[in-house]
Amino acid sequence: MSEPGNKSWEDGSPERLYVITGGRSEPLGPTGLDLVTLIVATSGPRPGMQPEHAAIVRLCQSPLSVAEISAYLGLPVSVVTVLLGDLLTAKRVLSRAPVAPAQLPDPALIEAVIDGLRKL
């Protein structure tokens, strides 16, 4: 049993997060990732992959957002973006911005439709 204040290696301690990212706080290159960027794996995990990389590849067999990946893995978004940067560089995953919401029609058109409905 651990003493109070003595964190285990598996609980997301700063030391563990430091090791997972190789001491990096940002991806090696620009990724353009944000919380809603969708990630999809290009194939399954390979033998010898870092466990966290393999977990991301397994999770992303269908598209998931960066925020969802972070939640499923229980890792901070900053750590996940570093890991995703590695996977993007290695072409193990693809990223895509989410589908943009449809633009609203012109307000004048909406008013014309409302006026036409009132005249019925």
Side-chain angles (χ1 to χ4, degrees):
M1 188 165 133
S2 63
E3 297 176 24
N6 184 10
K7 294 184 174 186
S8 76
W9 179 253
E10 296 298 322
D11 67 355
S13 67
E15 295 87 5
R16 177 175 176 260
L17 299 178
Y18 181 87
V19 170
I20 289 171
T21 62
R24 294 173 289 147
S25 61
E26 294 181 5
L28 292 175
T31 60
L33 297 175
D34 61 18
L35 291 175
V36 294
T37 301
L38 297 176
I39 305 293
V40 65
T42 57
S43 63
R46 287 187 157 170
M49 280 182 101
Q50 181 177 332
E52 293 79 13
H53 285 139
I56 291 172
V57 169
R58 275 192 299 276
L59 276 173
C60 294
Q61 293 304 306
S62 59
L64 285 177
S65 71
V66 173
E68 290 173 310
I69 296 166
S70 174
Y72 284 131
L73 295 179
L75 293 171
V77 172
S78 59
V79 171
V80 171
T81 56
V82 170
L83 296 173
L84 287 172
D86 297 343
L87 292 170
L88 285 165
T89 300
K91 299 189 183 330
R92 304 295 296 155
V93 297
L94 300 173
S95 68
R96 157 175 92 76
V99 177
Q103 289 185 328
L104 295 175
D106 182 28
L109 176 63
I110 294 174
E111 289 176 16
V113 170
I114 291 172
D115 288 341
L117 289 172
R118 286 185 182 147
K119 291 179 181 176
L120 289 179

PDB file of all heavy atoms in Angstrom, residues 14-48:
ATOM      1  N   PRO A  14       3.756  13.488 -13.341  1.00  0.00           N
ATOM      2  CA  PRO A  14       4.572  14.261 -14.287  1.00  0.00           C
ATOM      3  C   PRO A  14       5.770  13.477 -14.828  1.00  0.00           C
ATOM      4  O   PRO A  14       6.133  13.628 -15.983  1.00  0.00           O
ATOM      5  CB  PRO A  14       5.023  15.466 -13.459  1.00  0.00           C
ATOM      6  CG  PRO A  14       4.008  15.598 -12.375  1.00  0.00           C
ATOM      7  CD  PRO A  14       3.549  14.203 -12.081  1.00  0.00           C
ATOM      8  N   GLU A  15       6.358  12.631 -13.996  1.00  0.00           N
ATOM      9  CA  GLU A  15       7.504  11.854 -14.446  1.00  0.00           C
ATOM     10  C   GLU A  15       7.104  10.895 -15.568  1.00  0.00           C
ATOM     11  O   GLU A  15       7.805  10.750 -16.563  1.00  0.00           O
ATOM     12  CB  GLU A  15       8.125  11.047 -13.288  1.00  0.00           C
ATOM     13  CG  GLU A  15       8.720  11.896 -12.193  1.00  0.00           C
ATOM     14  CD  GLU A  15       7.686  12.301 -11.132  1.00  0.00           C
ATOM     15  OE1 GLU A  15       6.526  11.853 -11.184  1.00  0.00           O
ATOM     16  OE2 GLU A  15       8.059  13.083 -10.235  1.00  0.00           O
ATOM     17  N   ARG A  16       5.977  10.254 -15.408  1.00  0.00           N
ATOM     18  CA  ARG A  16       5.501   9.318 -16.437  1.00  0.00           C
ATOM     19  C   ARG A  16       5.196  10.068 -17.727  1.00  0.00           C
ATOM     20  O   ARG A  16       5.558   9.627 -18.811  1.00  0.00           O
ATOM     21  CB  ARG A  16       4.262   8.574 -15.953  1.00  0.00           C
ATOM     22  CG  ARG A  16       3.691   7.646 -17.014  1.00  0.00           C
ATOM     23  CD  ARG A  16       2.530   6.830 -16.481  1.00  0.00           C
ATOM     24  NE  ARG A  16       1.969   6.030 -17.536  1.00  0.00           N
ATOM     25  CZ  ARG A  16       0.865   6.339 -18.206  1.00  0.00           C
ATOM     26  NH1 ARG A  16       0.188   7.433 -17.910  1.00  0.00           N
ATOM     27  NH2 ARG A  16       0.422   5.576 -19.163  1.00  0.00           N
ATOM     28  N   LEU A  17       4.524  11.217 -17.618  1.00  0.00           N
ATOM     29  CA  LEU A  17       4.185  11.995 -18.807  1.00  0.00           C
ATOM     30  C   LEU A  17       5.448  12.485 -19.505  1.00  0.00           C
ATOM     31  O   LEU A  17       5.514  12.534 -20.735  1.00  0.00           O
ATOM     32  CB  LEU A  17       3.274  13.168 -18.429  1.00  0.00           C
ATOM     33  CG  LEU A  17       1.936  12.769 -17.804  1.00  0.00           C
ATOM     34  CD1 LEU A  17       1.136  14.008 -17.419  1.00  0.00           C
ATOM     35  CD2 LEU A  17       1.136  11.863 -18.717  1.00  0.00           C
ATOM     36  N   TYR A  18       6.466  12.822 -18.724  1.00  0.00           N
ATOM     37  CA  TYR A  18       7.744  13.256 -19.274  1.00  0.00           C
ATOM     38  C   TYR A  18       8.372  12.130 -20.098  1.00  0.00           C
ATOM     39  O   TYR A  18       8.884  12.348 -21.188  1.00  0.00           O
ATOM     40  CB  TYR A  18       8.676  13.692 -18.132  1.00  0.00           C
ATOM     41  CG  TYR A  18      10.028  14.198 -18.575  1.00  0.00           C
ATOM     42  CD1 TYR A  18      10.197  15.536 -18.902  1.00  0.00           C
ATOM     43  CD2 TYR A  18      11.115  13.338 -18.657  1.00  0.00           C
ATOM     44  CE1 TYR A  18      11.444  16.011 -19.312  1.00  0.00           C
ATOM     45  CE2 TYR A  18      12.352  13.805 -19.057  1.00  0.00           C
ATOM     46  CZ  TYR A  18      12.518  15.143 -19.385  1.00  0.00           C
ATOM     47  OH  TYR A  18      13.730  15.603 -19.792  1.00  0.00           O
ATOM     48  N   VAL A  19       8.316  10.933 -19.575  1.00  0.00           N
ATOM     49  CA  VAL A  19       8.891   9.781 -20.263  1.00  0.00           C
ATOM     50  C   VAL A  19       8.100   9.460 -21.527  1.00  0.00           C
ATOM     51  O   VAL A  19       8.671   9.184 -22.585  1.00  0.00           O
ATOM     52  CB  VAL A  19       8.962   8.563 -19.318  1.00  0.00           C
ATOM     53  CG1 VAL A  19       9.332   7.292 -20.080  1.00  0.00           C
ATOM     54  CG2 VAL A  19       9.950   8.818 -18.200  1.00  0.00           C
ATOM     55  N   ILE A  20       6.776   9.506 -21.443  1.00  0.00           N
ATOM     56  CA  ILE A  20       5.923   9.197 -22.590  1.00  0.00           C
ATOM     57  C   ILE A  20       6.245  10.100 -23.771  1.00  0.00           C
ATOM     58  O   ILE A  20       6.301   9.655 -24.915  1.00  0.00           O
ATOM     59  CB  ILE A  20       4.430   9.334 -22.209  1.00  0.00           C
ATOM     60  CG1 ILE A  20       4.016   8.201 -21.273  1.00  0.00           C
ATOM     61  CG2 ILE A  20       3.542   9.336 -23.448  1.00  0.00           C
ATOM     62  CD1 ILE A  20       2.632   8.382 -20.691  1.00  0.00           C
ATOM     63  N   THR A  21       6.459  11.375 -23.511  1.00  0.00           N
ATOM     64  CA  THR A  21       6.703  12.341 -24.592  1.00  0.00           C
ATOM     65  C   THR A  21       8.176  12.524 -24.914  1.00  0.00           C
ATOM     66  O   THR A  21       8.521  13.336 -25.770  1.00  0.00           O
ATOM     67  CB  THR A  21       6.111  13.717 -24.233  1.00  0.00           C
ATOM     68  OG1 THR A  21       6.760  14.207 -23.058  1.00  0.00           O
ATOM     69  CG2 THR A  21       4.623  13.641 -24.030  1.00  0.00           C
ATOM     70  N   GLY A  22       9.045  11.819 -24.222  1.00  0.00           N
ATOM     71  CA  GLY A  22      10.474  11.995 -24.434  1.00  0.00           C
ATOM     72  C   GLY A  22      10.947  13.364 -23.976  1.00  0.00           C
ATOM     73  O   GLY A  22      11.905  13.914 -24.510  1.00  0.00           O
ATOM     74  N   GLY A  23      10.252  13.940 -23.010  1.00  0.00           N
ATOM     75  CA  GLY A  23      10.624  15.238 -22.472  1.00  0.00           C
ATOM     76  C   GLY A  23      10.131  16.415 -23.285  1.00  0.00           C
ATOM     77  O   GLY A  23      10.405  17.557 -22.954  1.00  0.00           O
ATOM     78  N   ARG A  24       9.370  16.142 -24.358  1.00  0.00           N
ATOM     79  CA  ARG A  24       8.878  17.227 -25.211  1.00  0.00           C
ATOM     80  C   ARG A  24       7.544  17.756 -24.704  1.00  0.00           C
ATOM     81  O   ARG A  24       6.711  17.008 -24.217  1.00  0.00           O
ATOM     82  CB  ARG A  24       8.709  16.736 -26.643  1.00  0.00           C
ATOM     83  CG  ARG A  24      10.032  16.372 -27.285  1.00  0.00           C
ATOM     84  CD  ARG A  24       9.835  15.735 -28.638  1.00  0.00           C
ATOM     85  NE  ARG A  24       9.272  14.397 -28.435  1.00  0.00           N
ATOM     86  CZ  ARG A  24       8.429  13.807 -29.258  1.00  0.00           C
ATOM     87  NH1 ARG A  24       8.034  14.397 -30.355  1.00  0.00           N
ATOM     88  NH2 ARG A  24       7.974  12.599 -28.992  1.00  0.00           N
ATOM     89  N   SER A  25       7.337  19.057 -24.852  1.00  0.00           N
ATOM     90  CA  SER A  25       6.052  19.643 -24.478  1.00  0.00           C
ATOM     91  C   SER A  25       5.240  20.012 -25.712  1.00  0.00           C
ATOM     92  O   SER A  25       4.078  20.382 -25.603  1.00  0.00           O
ATOM     93  CB  SER A  25       6.258  20.887 -23.603  1.00  0.00           C
ATOM     94  OG  SER A  25       6.989  21.861 -24.308  1.00  0.00           O
ATOM     95  N   GLU A  26       5.860  19.905 -26.886  1.00  0.00           N
ATOM     96  CA  GLU A  26       5.187  20.195 -28.153  1.00  0.00           C
ATOM     97  C   GLU A  26       5.650  19.189 -29.192  1.00  0.00           C
ATOM     98  O   GLU A  26       6.753  18.650 -29.088  1.00  0.00           O
ATOM     99  CB  GLU A  26       5.526  21.609 -28.628  1.00  0.00           C
ATOM    100  CG  GLU A  26       4.990  22.695 -27.723  1.00  0.00           C
ATOM    101  CD  GLU A  26       5.325  24.083 -28.254  1.00  0.00           C
ATOM    102  OE1 GLU A  26       5.890  24.203 -29.363  1.00  0.00           O
ATOM    103  OE2 GLU A  26       5.016  25.043 -27.550  1.00  0.00           O
ATOM    104  N   PRO A  27       4.815  18.965 -30.228  1.00  0.00           N
ATOM    105  CA  PRO A  27       5.259  18.081 -31.308  1.00  0.00           C
ATOM    106  C   PRO A  27       6.526  18.625 -31.971  1.00  0.00           C
ATOM    107  O   PRO A  27       6.819  19.816 -31.897  1.00  0.00           O
ATOM    108  CB  PRO A  27       4.083  18.091 -32.285  1.00  0.00           C
ATOM    109  CG  PRO A  27       2.913  18.564 -31.497  1.00  0.00           C
ATOM    110  CD  PRO A  27       3.459  19.458 -30.427  1.00  0.00           C
ATOM    111  N   LEU A  28       7.264  17.769 -32.658  1.00  0.00           N
ATOM    112  CA  LEU A  28       8.509  18.169 -33.305  1.00  0.00           C
ATOM    113  C   LEU A  28       8.278  19.190 -34.425  1.00  0.00           C
ATOM    114  O   LEU A  28       9.115  20.034 -34.673  1.00  0.00           O
ATOM    115  CB  LEU A  28       9.233  16.944 -33.860  1.00  0.00           C
ATOM    116  CG  LEU A  28       9.777  15.984 -32.811  1.00  0.00           C
ATOM    117  CD1 LEU A  28      10.365  14.750 -33.483  1.00  0.00           C
ATOM    118  CD2 LEU A  28      10.816  16.670 -31.943  1.00  0.00           C
ATOM    119  N   GLY A  29       7.163  19.103 -35.099  1.00  0.00           N
ATOM    120  CA  GLY A  29       6.850  20.033 -36.184  1.00  0.00           C
ATOM    121  C   GLY A  29       5.424  20.518 -36.061  1.00  0.00           C
ATOM    122  O   GLY A  29       4.669  20.063 -35.207  1.00  0.00           O
ATOM    123  N   PRO A  30       5.032  21.452 -36.923  1.00  0.00           N
ATOM    124  CA  PRO A  30       3.648  21.943 -36.875  1.00  0.00           C
ATOM    125  C   PRO A  30       2.674  20.840 -37.284  1.00  0.00           C
ATOM    126  O   PRO A  30       2.910  20.120 -38.253  1.00  0.00           O
ATOM    127  CB  PRO A  30       3.644  23.092 -37.884  1.00  0.00           C
ATOM    128  CG  PRO A  30       4.812  22.858 -38.776  1.00  0.00           C
ATOM    129  CD  PRO A  30       5.814  22.080 -37.973  1.00  0.00           C
ATOM    130  N   THR A  31       1.622  20.687 -36.519  1.00  0.00           N
ATOM    131  CA  THR A  31       0.642  19.636 -36.802  1.00  0.00           C
ATOM    132  C   THR A  31      -0.724  20.197 -37.175  1.00  0.00           C
ATOM    133  O   THR A  31      -1.510  19.518 -37.815  1.00  0.00           O
ATOM    134  CB  THR A  31       0.454  18.713 -35.584  1.00  0.00           C
ATOM    135  OG1 THR A  31      -0.005  19.502 -34.486  1.00  0.00           O
ATOM    136  CG2 THR A  31       1.740  17.994 -35.220  1.00  0.00           C
ATOM    137  N   GLY A  32      -1.020  21.397 -36.720  1.00  0.00           N
ATOM    138  CA  GLY A  32      -2.333  21.976 -36.997  1.00  0.00           C
ATOM    139  C   GLY A  32      -3.451  21.282 -36.246  1.00  0.00           C
ATOM    140  O   GLY A  32      -4.614  21.361 -36.626  1.00  0.00           O
ATOM    141  N   LEU A  33      -3.121  20.595 -35.165  1.00  0.00           N
ATOM    142  CA  LEU A  33      -4.132  19.865 -34.402  1.00  0.00           C
ATOM    143  C   LEU A  33      -4.830  20.788 -33.412  1.00  0.00           C
ATOM    144  O   LEU A  33      -4.199  21.645 -32.806  1.00  0.00           O
ATOM    145  CB  LEU A  33      -3.490  18.711 -33.623  1.00  0.00           C
ATOM    146  CG  LEU A  33      -2.830  17.611 -34.438  1.00  0.00           C
ATOM    147  CD1 LEU A  33      -2.142  16.619 -33.524  1.00  0.00           C
ATOM    148  CD2 LEU A  33      -3.836  16.918 -35.325  1.00  0.00           C
ATOM    149  N   ASP A  34      -6.129  20.607 -33.268  1.00  0.00           N
ATOM    150  CA  ASP A  34      -6.867  21.236 -32.184  1.00  0.00           C
ATOM    151  C   ASP A  34      -7.790  20.181 -31.592  1.00  0.00           C
ATOM    152  O   ASP A  34      -7.738  19.020 -31.994  1.00  0.00           O
ATOM    153  CB  ASP A  34      -7.606  22.503 -32.640  1.00  0.00           C
ATOM    154  CG  ASP A  34      -8.644  22.233 -33.722  1.00  0.00           C
ATOM    155  OD1 ASP A  34      -9.058  21.074 -33.906  1.00  0.00           O
ATOM    156  OD2 ASP A  34      -9.063  23.191 -34.379  1.00  0.00           O
ATOM    157  N   LEU A  35      -8.615  20.564 -30.659  1.00  0.00           N
ATOM    158  CA  LEU A  35      -9.435  19.579 -29.936  1.00  0.00           C
ATOM    159  C   LEU A  35     -10.401  18.804 -30.826  1.00  0.00           C
ATOM    160  O   LEU A  35     -10.748  17.668 -30.518  1.00  0.00           O
ATOM    161  CB  LEU A  35     -10.211  20.274 -28.823  1.00  0.00           C
ATOM    162  CG  LEU A  35      -9.373  20.783 -27.659  1.00  0.00           C
ATOM    163  CD1 LEU A  35     -10.253  21.563 -26.682  1.00  0.00           C
ATOM    164  CD2 LEU A  35      -8.672  19.643 -26.946  1.00  0.00           C
ATOM    165  N   VAL A  36     -10.859  19.420 -31.917  1.00  0.00           N
ATOM    166  CA  VAL A  36     -11.864  18.762 -32.757  1.00  0.00           C
ATOM    167  C   VAL A  36     -11.295  18.164 -34.040  1.00  0.00           C
ATOM    168  O   VAL A  36     -12.052  17.643 -34.856  1.00  0.00           O
ATOM    169  CB  VAL A  36     -13.027  19.732 -33.087  1.00  0.00           C
ATOM    170  CG1 VAL A  36     -13.797  20.091 -31.835  1.00  0.00           C
ATOM    171  CG2 VAL A  36     -12.521  20.973 -33.796  1.00  0.00           C
ATOM    172  N   THR A  37      -9.980  18.217 -34.215  1.00  0.00           N
ATOM    173  CA  THR A  37      -9.364  17.576 -35.372  1.00  0.00           C
ATOM    174  C   THR A  37      -9.615  16.081 -35.293  1.00  0.00           C
ATOM    175  O   THR A  37      -9.450  15.469 -34.237  1.00  0.00           O
ATOM    176  CB  THR A  37      -7.843  17.841 -35.403  1.00  0.00           C
ATOM    177  OG1 THR A  37      -7.619  19.245 -35.443  1.00  0.00           O
ATOM    178  CG2 THR A  37      -7.203  17.187 -36.599  1.00  0.00           C
ATOM    179  N   LEU A  38     -10.034  15.501 -36.414  1.00  0.00           N
ATOM    180  CA  LEU A  38     -10.307  14.066 -36.453  1.00  0.00           C
ATOM    181  C   LEU A  38      -9.050  13.303 -36.844  1.00  0.00           C
ATOM    182  O   LEU A  38      -8.314  13.711 -37.737  1.00  0.00           O
ATOM    183  CB  LEU A  38     -11.429  13.773 -37.440  1.00  0.00           C
ATOM    184  CG  LEU A  38     -12.773  14.393 -37.075  1.00  0.00           C
ATOM    185  CD1 LEU A  38     -13.790  14.122 -38.182  1.00  0.00           C
ATOM    186  CD2 LEU A  38     -13.278  13.857 -35.753  1.00  0.00           C
ATOM    187  N   ILE A  39      -8.832  12.199 -36.160  1.00  0.00           N
ATOM    188  CA  ILE A  39      -7.657  11.347 -36.386  1.00  0.00           C
ATOM    189  C   ILE A  39      -8.141   9.952 -36.766  1.00  0.00           C
ATOM    190  O   ILE A  39      -9.046   9.409 -36.133  1.00  0.00           O
ATOM    191  CB  ILE A  39      -6.794  11.250 -35.107  1.00  0.00           C
ATOM    192  CG1 ILE A  39      -6.395  12.630 -34.591  1.00  0.00           C
ATOM    193  CG2 ILE A  39      -5.596  10.351 -35.338  1.00  0.00           C
ATOM    194  CD1 ILE A  39      -5.468  13.402 -35.481  1.00  0.00           C
ATOM    195  N   VAL A  40      -7.531   9.368 -37.794  1.00  0.00           N
ATOM    196  CA  VAL A  40      -7.837   7.990 -38.179  1.00  0.00           C
ATOM    197  C   VAL A  40      -6.528   7.279 -38.482  1.00  0.00           C
ATOM    198  O   VAL A  40      -5.613   7.854 -39.073  1.00  0.00           O
ATOM    199  CB  VAL A  40      -8.821   7.926 -39.380  1.00  0.00           C
ATOM    200  CG1 VAL A  40      -8.210   8.495 -40.641  1.00  0.00           C
ATOM    201  CG2 VAL A  40      -9.322   6.511 -39.591  1.00  0.00           C
ATOM    202  N   ALA A  41      -6.431   6.039 -38.034  1.00  0.00           N
ATOM    203  CA  ALA A  41      -5.218   5.237 -38.230  1.00  0.00           C
ATOM    204  C   ALA A  41      -5.149   4.740 -39.667  1.00  0.00           C
ATOM    205  O   ALA A  41      -6.175   4.459 -40.291  1.00  0.00           O
ATOM    206  CB  ALA A  41      -5.214   4.061 -37.268  1.00  0.00           C
ATOM    207  N   THR A  42      -3.936   4.637 -40.192  1.00  0.00           N
ATOM    208  CA  THR A  42      -3.752   4.112 -41.543  1.00  0.00           C
ATOM    209  C   THR A  42      -3.605   2.590 -41.531  1.00  0.00           C
ATOM    210  O   THR A  42      -3.782   1.954 -42.565  1.00  0.00           O
ATOM    211  CB  THR A  42      -2.508   4.744 -42.205  1.00  0.00           C
ATOM    212  OG1 THR A  42      -1.370   4.498 -41.384  1.00  0.00           O
ATOM    213  CG2 THR A  42      -2.704   6.238 -42.390  1.00  0.00           C
ATOM    214  N   SER A  43      -3.270   2.017 -40.365  1.00  0.00           N
ATOM    215  CA  SER A  43      -3.159   0.561 -40.213  1.00  0.00           C
ATOM    216  C   SER A  43      -3.152   0.247 -38.723  1.00  0.00           C
ATOM    217  O   SER A  43      -3.287   1.146 -37.899  1.00  0.00           O
ATOM    218  CB  SER A  43      -1.888   0.036 -40.887  1.00  0.00           C
ATOM    219  OG  SER A  43      -0.761   0.576 -40.255  1.00  0.00           O
ATOM    220  N   GLY A  44      -2.963  -0.987 -38.406  1.00  0.00           N
ATOM    221  CA  GLY A  44      -2.931  -1.385 -37.000  1.00  0.00           C
ATOM    222  C   GLY A  44      -1.579  -1.097 -36.365  1.00  0.00           C
ATOM    223  O   GLY A  44      -0.635  -0.693 -37.036  1.00  0.00           O
ATOM    224  N   PRO A  45      -1.489  -1.316 -35.051  1.00  0.00           N
ATOM    225  CA  PRO A  45      -0.210  -1.088 -34.369  1.00  0.00           C
ATOM    226  C   PRO A  45       0.841  -2.090 -34.818  1.00  0.00           C
ATOM    227  O   PRO A  45       0.525  -3.215 -35.192  1.00  0.00           O
ATOM    228  CB  PRO A  45      -0.555  -1.260 -32.894  1.00  0.00           C
ATOM    229  CG  PRO A  45      -1.829  -2.001 -32.854  1.00  0.00           C
ATOM    230  CD  PRO A  45      -2.537  -1.766 -34.146  1.00  0.00           C
ATOM    231  N   ARG A  46       2.097  -1.641 -34.772  1.00  0.00           N
ATOM    232  CA  ARG A  46       3.222  -2.502 -35.142  1.00  0.00           C
ATOM    233  C   ARG A  46       3.915  -3.018 -33.888  1.00  0.00           C
ATOM    234  O   ARG A  46       3.930  -2.328 -32.868  1.00  0.00           O
ATOM    235  CB  ARG A  46       4.236  -1.708 -35.944  1.00  0.00           C
ATOM    236  CG  ARG A  46       3.814  -1.399 -37.325  1.00  0.00           C
ATOM    237  CD  ARG A  46       4.954  -0.768 -38.053  1.00  0.00           C
ATOM    238  NE  ARG A  46       4.768  -0.954 -39.474  1.00  0.00           N
ATOM    239  CZ  ARG A  46       5.498  -0.358 -40.369  1.00  0.00           C
ATOM    240  NH1 ARG A  46       6.466   0.463 -40.005  1.00  0.00           N
ATOM    241  NH2 ARG A  46       5.280  -0.569 -41.642  1.00  0.00           N
ATOM    242  N   PRO A  47       4.505  -4.200 -33.967  1.00  0.00           N
ATOM    243  CA  PRO A  47       5.293  -4.694 -32.829  1.00  0.00           C
ATOM    244  C   PRO A  47       6.422  -3.711 -32.531  1.00  0.00           C
ATOM    245  O   PRO A  47       7.039  -3.154 -33.440  1.00  0.00           O
ATOM    246  CB  PRO A  47       5.853  -6.030 -33.325  1.00  0.00           C
ATOM    247  CG  PRO A  47       4.963  -6.435 -34.451  1.00  0.00           C
ATOM    248  CD  PRO A  47       4.463  -5.163 -35.063  1.00  0.00           C
ATOM    249  N   GLY A  48       6.675  -3.474 -31.259  1.00  0.00           N
ATOM    250  CA  GLY A  48       7.751  -2.591 -30.851  1.00  0.00           C
ATOM    251  C   GLY A  48       7.352  -1.135 -30.717  1.00  0.00           C
ATOM    252  O   GLY A  48       8.178  -0.313 -30.330  1.00  0.00           O
TER     253      GLY A  48
END
